[in-house]
Amino acid sequence: MVEFDLRRLRVLRELELRGTLGAVAAGLGYTPSAISQQLAVLEREAGTPLLERAGRGVRLTDAGRLLARHAGVLLAAAEAARADLAALGGEVRGTVRAGGLQSATRRLLVPAVAGMRGEHPRVRVEVSELELEQALPELRSGGLDVVVSDEYDGHPRPRPAGLRFAVLHEEPLHLVLPADHPAAVPGGPVALADLRDDAWAASGAGTGHTALVVGACRSLGGFEPDLRHRSDDADVQLELVRRAGAVALLPALTLPGGDPALAVRDVAGAAVRRRLVLLTRDQPAPPALAAFLDAVRGRAEQLG
C-alpha cells in the first residue's frame, strides 16, 4: 500500500498552484533543489512520473495533476482536523496570517489586530500588505488564512473555486484635485470631461484601479486619460495631487480629512464605487481564525 507524506503532497499542490519550482521554493522558504528532492521522493512513493520537462521548467503529468487534486482534499481534511482539535481546547490560541491591500490593511486589518491583543492575547496575527494577484496563490495554498481585497464597479475580481467571498464594505470613489484647480472652484460635482487635459495619478498597470480610471474616463468623459504617474500607494497619489498638479480618482477610505491643499469632489453624473471583499478558504475556520474574522467584520461595520 502506498503511503504519502503530507509535507511532500503540499509541495506537489504548491507546484500545481504556483506553476514553477522557483515560486514553490520562495513560497515555502526552501531552495529549488530541496523542492526537487521532495518531489523526486514523492514520485518514487507514487511509482509513476509526476513531472515532465517543459522548456527550462517542469509541468505536472496527468498522474501529477491527479495526485495534486487528491492532495488538495487531504490537506484540507488535515486542516479541518486541526481546527476541530483546537476548538476542544477552550482557550483561543494559534496563528492567523492575513493579507490585504493598503487601505484595507490600514483601516481594517491593523485595527482588528489591535482588538485581538486585548481579547485573545494567545493568538498571533501576522499581517502582510499585498495586492490580490500576490495574495490569491498564498491563500489557496495555505500561506495566508484571510485576505481583504477590493473590486470596482464594472471590474469584478476572479472567483476561484475552493474560496469563500463576502462583501465587507462598500464606498464611493471621489475625484481629488489640487485645491486651486479651475474645475474644483465651484465646489460641486466635477465632470470627467473637464479633466481631459490633466495628468492623472493611478495604480500600477494591470490593476483594477487603473482599469476603473481608464474605463470611467472613456465612458463618462469621452477621452483617454494621461496616466502620467503610477503608484499602488494612495498616499503617493495624494502627494502627486498636492505637489505635482495631478488629479486622481480614489476611494473614500484612502482620503485624509480637511486637507486645504486638496479638493475632493464627486464625479458628475455617475456613482463610482468599490467594494472591500473578504476571502477565506472554503473550509471550517479554527477558533483563532474565527475570532479574527469576527474582529475584521466588526471593524467593517464601524466603517459603514
Side-chain angles (χ1 to χ4, degrees):
M1 182 178 67
V2 178
E3 294 185 4
F4 293 112
D5 185 297
L6 281 178
R7 291 169 296 181
R8 287 191 279 274
L9 288 177
R10 180 174 293 281
V11 171
L12 183 69
R13 176 66 169 162
E14 290 275 346
L15 181 59
E16 181 188 40
L17 294 173
R18 297 176 186 268
T20 68
L21 294 175
V24 174
L28 296 181
Y30 294 102
T31 64
S33 62
I35 295 298
S36 296
Q37 291 170 11
Q38 291 293 310
L39 291 171
V41 173
L42 186 60
E43 279 192 323
R44 291 196 294 270
E45 292 175 343
T48 186
L50 303 176
L51 308 176
E52 59 187 6
R53 301 300 303 179
R56 293 186 176 183
V58 298
R59 64 188 175 198
L60 298 180
T61 63
D62 289 342
R65 287 190 292 273
L66 175 66
L67 185 56
R69 288 196 294 272
H70 284 292
V73 174
L74 292 171
L75 291 167
E79 189 164 340
R82 285 192 290 269
D84 289 342
L85 288 172
L88 293 176
E91 184 181 18
V92 178
R93 63 173 66 198
T95 299
V96 176
R97 296 167 294 272
L101 71 160
Q102 184 194 57
S103 57
T105 299
R106 179 181 296 173
R107 302 295 296 276
L108 290 175
L109 296 182
V110 172
V113 172
M116 291 288 289
R117 293 181 65 193
E119 296 184 21
H120 301 290
R122 302 301 296 274
V123 175
R124 172 188 171 94
V125 183
E126 301 172 358
V127 174
S128 300
E129 182 185 321
L130 296 169
E131 293 293 324
L132 183 64
E133 293 76 13
Q134 300 169 285
L136 201 55
E138 294 293 332
L139 179 63
R140 295 179 67 189
S141 66
L144 291 173
D145 302 302
V146 56
V147 170
V148 179
S149 185
D150 61 359
E151 61 181 17
Y152 297 90
D153 287 343
H155 301 278
R157 293 287 202 172
R159 293 283 195 272
L163 300 180
R164 294 176 183 169
F165 300 81
V167 175
L168 280 174
H169 178 71
E170 188 169 350
E171 62 177 347
L173 279 82
H174 299 291
L175 287 167
V176 187
L177 298 80
D180 59 355
H181 192 288
V185 172
V190 173
L192 281 173
D194 293 341
L195 306 177
R196 66 171 58 248
D197 296 324
D198 286 276
W200 284 76
S203 297
T207 61
H209 178 256
T210 291
L212 173 78
V213 171
V214 172
C217 289
R218 288 173 178 172
S219 61
L220 300 175
F223 68 97
E224 195 74 17
D226 176 8
L227 295 180
R228 195 173 304 179
H229 311 294
R230 295 183 181 274
S231 175
D232 293 333
D233 188 328
D235 289 339
V236 172
Q237 293 189 41
L238 290 169
E239 192 67 3
L240 286 163
V241 176
R242 292 186 189 98
R243 301 177 64 86
V247 298
L249 182 61
L250 289 169
L253 285 185
T254 66
L255 301 180
D259 188 329
L262 301 175
V264 178
R265 300 289 185 264
D266 291 334
V267 178
V272 185
R273 305 186 68 81
R274 80 159 177 174
R275 287 160 295 283
L276 294 182
V277 182
L278 183 72
L279 291 79
T280 56
R281 288 184 295 281
D282 189 13
Q283 56 195 41
L289 177 57
F292 184 69
L293 293 176
D294 286 343
V296 173
R297 295 186 189 101
R299 178 60 183 169
E301 290 176 2
Q302 294 175 16
L303 292 178

